[in-house]
Amino acid sequence: MALTVIGVDICGGTSPSAKGGARYTVVYLVDNEIKETYEEITLASLLRIIWKYQPSIVAIDNVFELTHSSKALIRLLSAFPPGTKLVQITGAPNQEYEPLVKIAEKHGIKFMSKPTSLQTASTVALLASKGVGWVVKGLEDECMITVSKKLTPQAGGMSMQRYERLVRSSILRLTREIKEILRVHGFDYDLIYRKGEGGISGSVFIVYAPREKLSGIVKPYEGHSVRVTIKPVIKRELDFEPLSTHSATVFTSRKGLIVGYDPGITAGLSVITLDGDLLLLKSGKYLTRGEIAREVLKLGIPVIVASDRKPATEMVKKLASMFGAVLY
């Protein structure tokens, strides 16, 4: 399949916050070959071009050349075609910044003078096609499905211990049913639970999809002693992830990290350098992979994710896979 990339650069003297908005130069590449160029176009026209070609990547020097705020950028990302990634070539916020010209030189692209807008658009597209840059993500809404006991168990003619075992058994049964439903429908999720005699005393699914996507698939439930609740977890932050493991090499001074993670309803997270210096040690309830990624990527590039169990839990495996790190 051909790799399709759109490179974008803002035209000099224009700004997204100015009246009338900014103007852009756009280059459309197919397998590193320029197929189309556009100059002095509006943001609305850029979106129409993106939908026309539906490229794998839209690359730009600085994503805030497109909008004036993070919230506006998240709204813009929601207007992209499914499967199209927005990539910032020069790094992520709170990461080490490196000028585009310097990054380009590392990849054999040299300029005799200051690059024109057309050259810049072409360059960011070529670099993205090489796996350079950071994918910008307006985090999707996350859902939390909770399976828990409804009331403090009352014996009601049977022993308290027997009744509690019955409740834990019911929670385990509902948890298994929801797990199977999510698997069949292809949802990405993490499962956290607390064991109890005869079953589990409570479970939480963190589902990486908007609440509306679960409509009609997983339903709230309220029985005599057990309930299932579904609540959206609204994220309003931008997330930046390396386009490839190669992107990490652009920032040669970034620290290699070892991440220790102990999942659970209250999870533990630690980050150390490869020399053993402690950079982060924290715990928190229902830590999602998105939250963990934001914390860790502020500090460096994870190369190892460590677990105290073998085999590691699914959440630890997914975390290592997300970072492209070795699971230990």
Side-chain angles (χ1 to χ4, degrees):
M1 182 180 294
L3 176 61
T4 55
V5 182
I6 283 179
V8 181
D9 184 50
I10 192 169
C11 296
T14 68
S15 168
S17 59
K19 187 177 180 180
R23 294 289 188 273
Y24 300 95
T25 300
V26 176
V27 173
Y28 175 56
L29 268 64
V30 178
D31 287 338
N32 296 334
E33 182 181 347
I34 296 176
K35 295 294 185 179
E36 297 286 350
T37 62
Y38 303 84
E39 296 189 69
E40 295 285 339
I41 66 169
T42 64
L43 182 60
S45 295
L46 171 59
L47 276 174
R48 285 194 289 271
I49 292 167
I50 291 170
W51 271 97
K52 176 182 177 181
Y53 296 115
Q54 299 194 29
S56 301
I57 296 170
V58 174
I60 194 165
D61 184 3
N62 183 340
V63 292
F64 290 103
E65 293 176 357
L66 296 173
T67 63
H68 61 280
S69 69
S70 294
K71 287 185 178 180
L73 187 57
I74 290 171
R75 289 195 297 270
L76 178 64
L77 285 168
S78 69
F80 272 36
T84 296
K85 299 175 182 177
L86 177 61
V87 171
Q88 178 168 289
I89 299 300
T90 53
N94 302 318
Q95 310 294 335
E96 182 182 350
Y97 171 81
E98 192 165 12
L100 177 64
V101 172
K102 190 173 180 181
I103 297 172
E105 286 179 352
K106 290 182 178 180
H107 294 274
I109 304 171
K110 295 186 178 181
F111 303 102
M112 299 304 294
S113 59
K114 183 179 178 180
T116 65
S117 187
L118 187 60
Q119 287 174 324
T120 298
S122 301
T123 300
V124 294
L126 286 168
L127 289 170
S129 70
K130 293 174 180 286
V132 178
W134 294 71
V135 180
V136 188
K137 294 188 175 182
L139 293 181
E140 291 183 332
D141 296 348
E142 298 167 358
C143 290
M144 191 174 291
I145 304 173
T146 304
V147 186
S148 60
K149 61 184 178 183
K150 181 180 175 184
L151 300 170
T152 302
Q154 300 295 324
M158 65 178 76
S159 71
M160 180 68 73
Q161 286 186 342
R162 182 182 171 193
Y163 189 80
E164 288 179 343
R165 284 196 299 271
L166 179 64
V167 171
R168 288 191 287 266
S169 176
S170 296
I171 292 173
L172 177 60
R173 176 180 55 80
L174 283 170
T175 299
R176 286 174 172 170
E177 289 177 4
I178 293 170
K179 183 178 180 180
E180 179 63 14
I181 290 170
L182 294 175
R183 185 194 67 79
V184 167
H185 287 84
F187 285 101
D188 183 19
Y189 68 90
D190 292 317
L191 172 59
I192 303 167
Y193 58 88
R194 183 181 290 117
K195 290 182 178 180
E197 184 183 352
I200 57 179
S201 57
S203 66
V204 175
F205 292 86
I206 301 170
V207 184
Y208 297 96
R211 170 68 179 90
E212 57 268 22
K213 286 194 175 181
L214 289 178
S215 181
I217 297 174
V218 180
K219 299 178 181 179
Y221 168 79
E222 192 158 316
H224 177 67
S225 57
V226 179
R227 64 156 56 102
V228 177
T229 59
I230 309 173
K231 295 181 180 179
V233 180
I234 309 297
K235 298 288 185 181
R236 290 293 180 262
E237 297 181 50
L238 290 173
D239 192 19
F240 286 71
E241 295 178 2
L243 179 58
S244 69
T245 54
H246 180 67
S247 294
T249 65
V250 173
F251 302 96
T252 54
S253 65
R254 301 275 287 136
K255 295 185 181 73
L257 304 176
I258 300 173
V259 178
Y261 182 62
D262 183 32
I265 291 177
T266 299
L269 176 67
S270 68
V271 179
I272 64 173
T273 67
L274 298 181
D275 295 321
D277 297 326
L278 182 65
L279 301 179
L280 176 69
L281 182 64
K282 66 175 290 184
S283 62
K285 277 197 170 184
Y286 310 123
L287 291 179
T288 71
R289 277 180 271 147
E291 291 170 318
I292 293 168
R294 287 193 296 275
E295 290 273 3
V296 172
L297 290 175
K298 291 176 185 176
L299 303 172
I301 302 295
V303 294
I304 297 173
V305 172
S307 170
D308 66 343
R309 290 182 55 184
K310 183 180 180 181
T313 63
E314 283 301 310
M315 187 166 181
V316 175
K317 291 178 182 177
K318 290 176 182 178
L319 192 65
S321 176
M322 182 179 72
F323 287 135
V326 173
L327 176 61
Y328 182 84

